[in-house]
Structures are given as structure tokens and as C-alpha cells.
Amino acid sequence: MNEAPIIAELREENTLLKQKYELVKQELAQLRRLIYGSKSERFKEESPDQLSLFASAVKEDPAPNIEAEDEVLPEEKKNHPGRGKLPEHLPVEEVICEPSGVLSDWERLSDVITETLDY
């Protein structure tokens, strides 16, 4: 009885079963990501028909611009989105809050200005 063809057939079947097992493992991992993963991980694989948002982005020179670092841009004052400016005819009271103690080693960084309306 010649067992060589049987062994070759069993080896081929073994490799096919291993390939199917790996495929099923990958599918199971993908389904687990869909069920339990965060929303950013749900659609990880991209369709080849889908265009990339960043494919046409121009890559900038990674070297920093030394001249731009020396410039100090003024901070833009952003208005509060919930209300407009207070009317000009209202009285204004300035309150300056200074820390107590020895201030000789301290340095003033900036002023914080807030507007409140008493009623």
C-alpha cells in the first residue's frame, strides 16, 4: 500500500484548512471591532473607489521659518458669542486685584480684563 499520495493529500488539506482558519479569525476580529470598537475604528478599511481627503494635499517644507518665529502676532480679542458690547453710557468701575506679600521677584505677565454688569 502506497501512503505517499495520501500524506500529500492530507498536507494540502491541512494548508487549506489553515488558510480558512486565518480568514475566519480576521473576519471575527473585524466583526468584534464593529460591535465593540470605538466609532473611529469601525470603518478602518477604505474602499479603493473612495477618494482620499488628503491625497492631493501639498506637503510643506518641514524646516521651520526662522523669520516667522521672530514676529509677534497681536492676540485677537474675541467677543463673547452670547452677548454684545455693554452700552457706553453705563458707569465703569475699575478694580485692580494685586497679590499680597513681597512682589519684588515677581513679573507681571499680562492683564485680564473682564466686564460684568451689576443689577
Side-chain angles (χ1 to χ4, degrees):
M1 189 176 224
N2 197 356
E3 294 183 8
I6 296 173
I7 293 175
E9 184 179 320
L10 288 176
R11 284 187 180 159
E12 184 178 333
E13 184 181 355
N14 187 16
T15 56
L16 288 175
L17 288 174
K18 284 182 181 180
Q19 289 174 352
K20 286 183 182 180
Y21 173 71
E22 289 298 321
L23 180 64
V24 169
K25 268 183 27 175
Q26 290 175 355
E27 288 178 356
L28 179 63
Q30 183 179 11
L31 290 174
R32 283 186 177 164
R33 275 195 304 271
L34 284 173
I35 294 172
Y36 301 114
S38 66
K39 289 186 180 187
S40 65
E41 294 179 357
R42 287 190 185 195
F43 305 105
K44 199 129 186 151
E45 294 182 22
E46 295 179 3
S47 170
D49 299 331
Q50 180 72 31
L51 295 176
S52 175
L53 180 64
F54 304 107
S56 64
V58 178
K59 293 184 178 182
E60 295 182 14
D61 185 22
N65 188 356
I66 297 173
E67 295 173 7
E69 289 179 5
D70 294 339
E71 279 185 36
V72 177
L73 299 175
E75 294 182 17
E76 294 180 17
K77 186 174 182 180
K78 295 182 182 178
N79 293 334
H80 190 275
R83 67 167 183 164
K85 289 189 148 226
L86 295 176
E88 295 293 327
H89 68 277
L90 294 175
V92 177
E93 178 184 342
E94 287 189 18
V95 177
I96 300 174
C97 299
E98 296 283 342
S100 60
V102 178
L103 303 176
S104 62
D105 294 339
W106 290 32
E107 180 179 325
R108 178 183 294 262
L109 296 177
S110 66
D111 293 331
V112 177
I113 300 172
T114 58
E115 292 181 342
T116 57
L117 181 63
D118 283 341
Y119 55 93

